[in-house]
Amino acid sequence: MATKVAVVTGANKGIGFAIVRGLCKRFEGAVYLTSRSVERGAAAVEALEREGLRPRYHQLDITDTRSLETFRDYIKKNYDGIDILVNNAGIAFGRHATDPVAVQAEQTIHVNYFALVTTCDILFPVLKNGARVVNISSSYAHLSNIPSQALRDKLKDEKLTVSGLSALMQQYVDAAKQGTHAAEWGNSSLVVAKVGVTALSNIHQRMYMDRDFKINSVHPGFVDTDMSSHNGPMTIDEGAAAPLYVALDAPDTLRGQLIWFNKDIVSWDGVKPDREF
């Protein structure tokens, strides 16, 4: 039988690391811990090996097209495809960051949204039919965080395409550079990026129904990681629980949904849950 394959991006630390740990314990196949830095990735693999686990490693920088293509070609050469893809890699500026808004907007959207689009463009062709895609999102992704009703209507429009969504994301970056973003988009680049991630998940689910993909976005909770400036009360293993549920245990009917840290399905454009972690 062909070897099953699970891949986690940005997995040398934090929630991604814990997701790899959970997959190694339960997934019957090859689990790939990937990271931008080979050195940090190797250290993460060694840490899991000391726990008796056997992750595999491959370098992967989601902002580098050549790195993505190299990994895709490696998968094509060695396997029949990918069964589980967890898109975890991302960045966040700390709450006390002094970088200009324009810089924060451009870099946050570039890594968290545009690099994710490229990742999916390159890796989706090597996903097996029926594959599960887990996009790590946030409570920030809830559509209620976007002030403009007109924008919210555009983002949830079932006719919205990837190119249309990308145009909206670029409009935000351009507005941030001009200092005109706040009224429509709010003041958080991470909110816009994670809304983009969840909107992309929904679009991709509609696009790939013929390949039986199960594509969902997950708010893992407020976790003690670099992304939260270590302010979150949850451990990385607690933060990995919902992503692992979606990757391994959720029914096949779970498609195109936003899943909260407690595994509840949350209406993306409905009432936002009181508890964010």
Side-chain angles (χ1 to χ4, degrees):
M1 293 179 64
T3 302
K4 290 186 176 182
V5 177
V7 176
V8 185
T9 68
N12 61 281
K13 62 181 179 179
I15 295 170
F17 178 83
I19 292 171
V20 170
R21 176 192 278 139
L23 287 169
C24 284
K25 291 179 178 179
R26 295 189 50 212
F27 181 69
E28 296 180 358
V31 179
Y32 274 88
L33 185 157
T34 72
S35 65
R36 181 175 54 181
S37 164
V38 173
E39 182 179 3
R40 289 194 292 269
V45 168
E46 289 176 5
L48 291 172
E49 287 177 342
R50 288 194 293 272
E51 297 179 21
L53 304 175
R54 294 292 178 265
R56 306 187 190 191
Y57 179 76
H58 201 287
Q59 191 275 341
L60 182 61
D61 180 352
I62 67 166
T63 67
D64 183 344
T65 299
R66 181 172 295 181
S67 174
L68 284 161
E69 290 173 342
T70 297
F71 181 63
R72 175 203 62 196
D73 293 344
Y74 171 83
I75 292 294
K76 289 174 66 175
K77 180 180 178 181
N78 292 280
Y79 302 99
D80 291 338
I82 297 171
D83 298 88
I84 296 172
L85 174 61
V86 181
N87 288 310
N88 169 75
I91 65 166
F93 285 82
R95 65 179 64 182
H96 301 301
T98 57
D99 308 73
V101 171
V103 172
Q104 294 192 38
E106 187 162 48
Q107 293 185 13
T108 302
I109 301 301
H110 171 66
V111 176
N112 292 285
Y113 174 76
F114 283 111
L116 175 60
V117 172
T118 304
T119 298
C120 295
D121 286 347
I122 293 173
L123 295 186
F124 273 19
V126 294
L127 293 184
K128 294 178 186 175
N129 289 343
R132 293 188 174 206
V133 179
V134 183
N135 292 325
I136 302 302
S137 191
S138 166
S139 62
Y140 285 177
H142 198 270
L143 205 52
S144 62
N145 290 315
I146 300 296
S148 167
Q149 180 65 54
L151 275 176
R152 294 198 299 271
D153 289 342
K154 290 178 182 178
L155 288 161
K156 68 181 181 181
D157 187 345
E158 292 195 355
K159 295 181 181 178
L160 184 64
T161 62
V162 175
S163 60
L165 175 59
S166 294
L168 288 173
M169 293 293 107
Q170 188 59 50
Q171 285 176 24
Y172 164 71
V173 173
D174 295 341
K177 290 180 178 180
Q178 297 166 9
T180 60
H181 60 286
E184 289 190 310
W185 293 97
N187 287 306
S188 171
S189 294
L190 193 59
V191 162
V192 178
K194 291 303 187 181
V195 165
V197 168
T198 298
L200 182 68
S201 302
N202 298 341
I203 294 169
H204 277 161
Q205 182 63 76
R206 295 193 293 268
M207 287 175 60
Y208 291 99
M209 288 298 291
D210 61 327
R211 295 190 58 193
D212 196 30
F213 289 172
K214 291 85 175 173
I215 304 173
N216 296 282
S217 52
V218 180
H219 162 48
F222 194 26
V223 181
D224 180 7
T225 66
D226 289 349
M227 285 282 285
S228 70
S229 299
H230 296 282
N231 289 308
M234 295 172 62
T235 68
I236 58 173
D237 291 307
E238 289 171 334
L244 286 167
Y245 164 75
V246 175
L248 297 172
D249 301 317
D252 286 343
T253 52
L254 187 69
R255 303 165 188 247
Q257 300 291 343
L258 173 60
I259 310 302
W260 227 238
F261 71 97
N262 59 1
K263 306 174 188 176
D264 283 349
I265 297 174
V266 169
S267 174
W268 185 44
D269 61 343
V271 177
K272 185 179 179 181
D274 291 334
R275 289 191 64 207
E276 296 187 1
F277 58 86

